[in-house]
Amino acid sequence: MIVPSPALRTGLLRRRGPDYSDARALYDVGPGFADVAIQEIRGIDYARSDLGRKLRLNILRPVEKSSKPRPVIVWVHGGGWGWRGVADTYDQGTHVNYAFAMRGYFTVAIEYTLTSEAPFPAQIHDCKAAIRWLRAHAEEYHIDPEKIGVWGRSAGGHLVSLLGTSAGNPDLEGNGGWQEFPSHVDAVLDYFGPTDLNSIAGPHNGEMEAHIRMVVGKFLGGRIEDRRELAELANPIRYVTQDSPPFLIIHGEKDLPVPFFQGEALHRCLASKGIESRLIGVKGAGHGLLPSVEGVPIEPPLPELHAIIGSFFDRHLRLDTE
């Protein structure tokens, strides 16, 4: 048994039962993993926010040592960039990264500045600092600094997409620490994330239009109409180049808060630059990939999506730790 550090709560985890809601079931990626011991390390300080607050991350990794540095998968949580002010949202990474850790990955779930604290670009500054932290500590944690994948849902999908396309952009790097290391990533899974905040709100949101205007307004620090330039700076499409990493975009075709055309636009732009991008429109799925009509299954079903996700990261991060 691992002895807890005085500074960190550390322990061994075993696969947990299905004690999460249907909304979280979509993150239980892939069946058939070996029942291996997983180590959890919580509450590591990785950087300071623009406001000077310490930022934390949680690690899940296989206990068994690997002869080769492990590839990394980073989870960035959603939740409207934190408009509710829920400070511990990143703890959901303990669940969502579990299957990847069992598969052999070193996994991380990060917190970032919520919009209850500060508007954009504080959030992407934190995400980029986390990637730099990983590279700065690659030797210590026996991880491969050139095999870093990222994934996130909704607002987290937006932030990982921005991580993927805006590598090295000085306007978005921030000063959170580890500035001597780069912040690029090597594979991106965007789960129904926004892209163009200038077009996200409108009648296409149906009854949720006012809510979306409120959430995005908090992210931008004012009404969308008054923050057009900042909204454009937050658009991952703006930064796509021929050097952008491969993307997998999974989006419900009946999504109201983040309409399907948001994912389509990112996919089209990536493809136009010759970047490998796969867009999976999930039929019958609303936001969160939950069925838009109760009792009517979504297509592809979750197990098929799980298999696609696992294959995507294995291929692009070249999972080989033997």
Side-chain angles (χ1 to χ4, degrees), residues 253-256 282-287 289-298:
E253 293 184 356
K254 300 296 185 180
D255 195 324
L256 287 180
V282 184
K283 292 179 172 55
H287 199 60
L289 299 191
L290 298 176
S292 59
V293 178
E294 187 175 354
V296 178
I298 65 171

Side-chain angles (χ1 to χ4, degrees), residues 97-134:
N97 277 335
Y98 198 84
F100 285 125
M102 294 185 74
R103 202 178 185 105
Y105 288 96
F106 180 97
T107 76
V108 169
I110 69 169
E111 69 168 340
Y112 57 82
T113 300
L114 305 179
T115 55
S116 56
E117 300 175 86
F120 181 81
Q123 295 71 28
I124 193 62
H125 288 172
D126 298 344
C127 294
K128 287 176 176 284
I131 303 301
R132 297 195 301 266
W133 181 92
L134 284 165

Side-chain angles (χ1 to χ4, degrees), residues 22-42:
D22 289 343
R24 291 194 181 180
L26 69 104
Y27 305 118
D28 191 14
V29 180
F33 299 109
D35 187 15
V36 298
I38 300 299
Q39 181 187 26
E40 179 184 25
I41 308 175
R42 298 173 61 83

Side-chain angles (χ1 to χ4, degrees), residues 40 50 181 186 195 232 252 285 317:
E40 179 184 25
D50 291 353
F181 294 91
D186 304 291
T195 53
E232 184 60 22
L317 302 181

Side-chain angles (χ1 to χ4, degrees), residues 61-207:
R61 63 181 179 182
V63 170
E64 185 177 356
K65 302 298 182 184
S66 170
S67 61
K68 296 181 180 180
R70 292 189 184 277
V72 181
I73 291 181
V74 180
W75 166 257
V76 180
H77 70 79
W81 304 281
W83 65 275
R84 294 186 185 93
V86 180
D88 60 353
T89 309
Y90 86 113
D91 274 341
Q92 66 186 234
T94 299
H95 173 66
V96 302
N97 277 335
Y98 198 84
F100 285 125
M102 294 185 74
R103 202 178 185 105
Y105 288 96
F106 180 97
T107 76
V108 169
I110 69 169
E111 69 168 340
Y112 57 82
T113 300
L114 305 179
T115 55
S116 56
E117 300 175 86
F120 181 81
Q123 295 71 28
I124 193 62
H125 288 172
D126 298 344
C127 294
K128 287 176 176 284
I131 303 301
R132 297 195 301 266
W133 181 92
L134 284 165
R135 291 199 164 95
H137 294 80
E139 184 174 352
E140 175 184 352
Y141 287 102
H142 196 53
I143 57 179
D144 191 329
E146 297 309 317
K147 295 182 181 180
I148 299 178
V150 293
W151 70 314
R153 72 182 299 279
S154 193
H158 165 258
L159 292 172
V160 298
S161 296
L162 198 53
L163 272 175
T165 63
S166 67
N169 185 289
D171 294 331
L172 300 180
E173 285 294 321
N175 296 295
W178 322 107
Q179 306 301 131
E180 65 272 32
F181 294 91
S183 63
H184 67 272
V185 298
D186 304 291
V188 178
L189 167 56
D190 166 18
Y191 252 133
F192 45 88
T195 53
D196 182 2
L197 300 183
N198 275 317
S199 67
I200 192 171
H204 44 259
N205 302 128
E207 62 186 16

